[in-house]
Amino acid sequence: MRRIRPVSAVTSALLGLSTIVLATPPAHATAPTRTPIAIGHRGVPAKAPENTLASIDRAAGLGIRWVENDVQRTKDGALIVMHDTTLERTTDAKKRYPGRAPWKVADFTLAEIEKLDAGSWYDRRFAGERVPTLERYLRRVDRNHQKLLLEAKAPELYPGIARQLLAELRRTGWLDQPHIQRNLVVQSFDADFLKTFHGLRPDVKTGFLGAPKAAELGSYARFADQINPDHRSVTAGWVRSVHAVKGPHGRPLEISAWTVDDGARAVELARMGVDGIISNAPHVVEAALAGRPRTSVAADAGDALG
């Protein structure tokens, strides 16, 4: 999914983009028959640095029940929460380890990564925020009574990560009830990873990141419960096609569209029938779906630290 810029950059960029304004739905528009869940993309990056404990805590404070994250593996085999396969965008790795370009996650030990500042790039008030291990992240999501859409990022770089993820989920209680039924989905762009993961634990819900053609959906339904596309590829006809196919658990395939920061577009997607909307500002999306749109993501970012 798309990279996220720091709040200052996001604010200045969005103020110049009319497409981001969260328009009020037309009065004559038909309300959706059901409201999609709003999922915080890496937490709530409109208010805190992505994929940090601060970000999911802010999401919890806003009443966001579902959060999404990205998982990768360090040189010495630890699972951490990080989107990019390199460290320089969202940490001070370039400054702290100047001679180690291109700063790949897989080239650093956990001890080295734990020294990094993962908050100052976003705003100085988050200085000292750390890259969380998956264990710490899972325990915090649990403590916050949140639900998790966990993405295995670039699993082809990390052989055996499906089994390792399951071991960590088991150790932290995430394979117990009710988590495994209602609180957890594991997703990836990599179909081979999902096939492996589903084969190991078919009772865990899985999601494929992409938008297969209608004729291909049956093959994905063998190992995926969700088809989670870039929102720009979503049409009402495609949504109907997805929902017409039953996944491995015998229920219609679900759809969570990403990454939607525009309230008017969120309402459009809701009317098409998507089940979830992944957003950098999920509270703004929730307000739009409830008919209480904020002015814009940019305006919301202005009070990000308030």
Side-chain angles (χ1 to χ4, degrees), residues 2-22 41-42 44-50 55 89-90 121-123 259-262 279-284 296-305:
R2 293 198 306 264
R3 287 187 174 186
I4 302 167
R5 287 172 287 173
V7 63
S8 56
V10 171
T11 303
S12 60
L14 295 186
L15 286 172
L17 295 177
S18 59
T19 57
I20 300 298
V21 173
L22 300 179
H41 185 226
R42 311 175 204 168
V44 58
K47 288 187 172 290
E50 64 179 73
S55 198
R89 182 177 65 88
T90 57
W121 69 276
Y122 185 92
D123 188 275
T259 303
V260 183
D261 297 331
D262 175 66
S279 176
N280 297 319
H283 55 301
V284 176
S296 67
V297 174
D300 184 75
D303 70 359
L305 302 173

Side-chain angles (χ1 to χ4, degrees), residues 250-262:
R251 297 184 291 269
L253 291 175
E254 300 172 345
I255 301 165
S256 289
W258 50 268
T259 303
V260 183
D261 297 331
D262 175 66

Side-chain angles (χ1 to χ4, degrees), residues 60-137:
L62 291 164
I64 303 303
R65 300 267 54 89
W66 276 91
V67 291
E68 182 263 1
N69 74 348
D70 306 276
V71 177
Q72 296 191 61
R73 189 165 68 198
T74 66
K75 182 178 181 179
D76 53 344
L79 297 179
I80 63 166
V81 178
M82 171 71 61
H83 176 269
D84 297 5
T85 57
T86 57
L87 297 162
E88 77 273 19
R89 182 177 65 88
T90 57
T91 76
D92 62 345
K94 187 174 181 179
K95 178 180 179 181
R96 184 173 288 274
Y97 304 114
R100 296 180 63 179
W103 301 283
K104 293 180 181 180
V105 172
D107 289 342
F108 288 78
T109 66
L110 177 60
E112 290 172 328
I113 290 175
E114 287 184 327
K115 295 176 183 177
L116 298 175
D117 182 338
S120 293
W121 69 276
Y122 185 92
D123 188 275
R124 64 180 181 275
R125 296 194 192 183
F126 291 98
E129 189 71 26
R130 301 303 176 192
V131 175
T133 61
L134 178 59
E135 178 185 2
R136 289 190 66 203
Y137 193 97

Side-chain angles (χ1 to χ4, degrees), residues 11-233:
T11 303
S12 60
L14 295 186
L15 286 172
L17 295 177
S18 59
T19 57
I20 300 298
V21 173
L22 300 179
T24 303
H28 64 274
T30 303
T33 56
R34 58 181 176 179
T35 302
I37 60 171
I39 302 167
H41 185 226
R42 311 175 204 168
V44 58
K47 288 187 172 290
E50 64 179 73
N51 274 331
T52 61
L53 299 183
S55 198
I56 55 174
D57 287 347
R58 292 291 176 108
L62 291 164
I64 303 303
R65 300 267 54 89
W66 276 91
V67 291
E68 182 263 1
N69 74 348
D70 306 276
V71 177
Q72 296 191 61
R73 189 165 68 198
T74 66
K75 182 178 181 179
D76 53 344
L79 297 179
I80 63 166
V81 178
M82 171 71 61
H83 176 269
D84 297 5
T85 57
T86 57
L87 297 162
E88 77 273 19
R89 182 177 65 88
T90 57
T91 76
D92 62 345
K94 187 174 181 179
K95 178 180 179 181
R96 184 173 288 274
Y97 304 114
R100 296 180 63 179
W103 301 283
K104 293 180 181 180
V105 172
D107 289 342
F108 288 78
T109 66
L110 177 60
E112 290 172 328
I113 290 175
E114 287 184 327
K115 295 176 183 177
L116 298 175
D117 182 338
S120 293
W121 69 276
Y122 185 92
D123 188 275
R124 64 180 181 275
R125 296 194 192 183
F126 291 98
E129 189 71 26
R130 301 303 176 192
V131 175
T133 61
L134 178 59
E135 178 185 2
R136 289 190 66 203
Y137 193 97
L138 289 170
R139 295 192 188 283
R140 183 65 64 89
V141 173
D142 200 15
R143 193 189 77 179
N144 289 346
H145 303 291
Q146 292 168 305
K147 304 170 187 284
L148 181 61
L149 178 57
L150 185 158
E151 180 179 344
K153 180 63 63 177
E156 69 278 5
L157 299 178
Y158 310 112
I161 196 170
R163 289 184 181 277
Q164 188 177 4
L165 273 173
L166 281 168
E168 192 69 273
L169 289 167
R170 184 181 300 107
R171 192 165 66 86
T172 52
W174 277 81
L175 296 185
D176 300 336
Q177 303 291 351
H179 282 315
I180 202 167
Q181 282 192 329
R182 299 192 295 270
N183 299 346
L184 176 67
V185 179
V186 175
Q187 68 174 359
S188 180
F189 285 99
D190 191 314
D192 289 335
F193 164 83
L194 290 175
K195 291 175 186 177
T196 299
F197 191 93
H198 177 73
L200 292 169
R201 281 300 296 250
D203 52 341
V204 178
K205 289 180 69 173
T206 52
F208 175 72
L209 285 160
K213 295 178 181 178
E216 302 170 332
L217 290 169
S219 62
Y220 286 89
R222 298 188 187 110
F223 57 86
D225 301 270
Q226 297 182 354
I227 304 295
N228 298 339
D230 184 326
H231 77 94
R232 293 170 294 187
S233 66

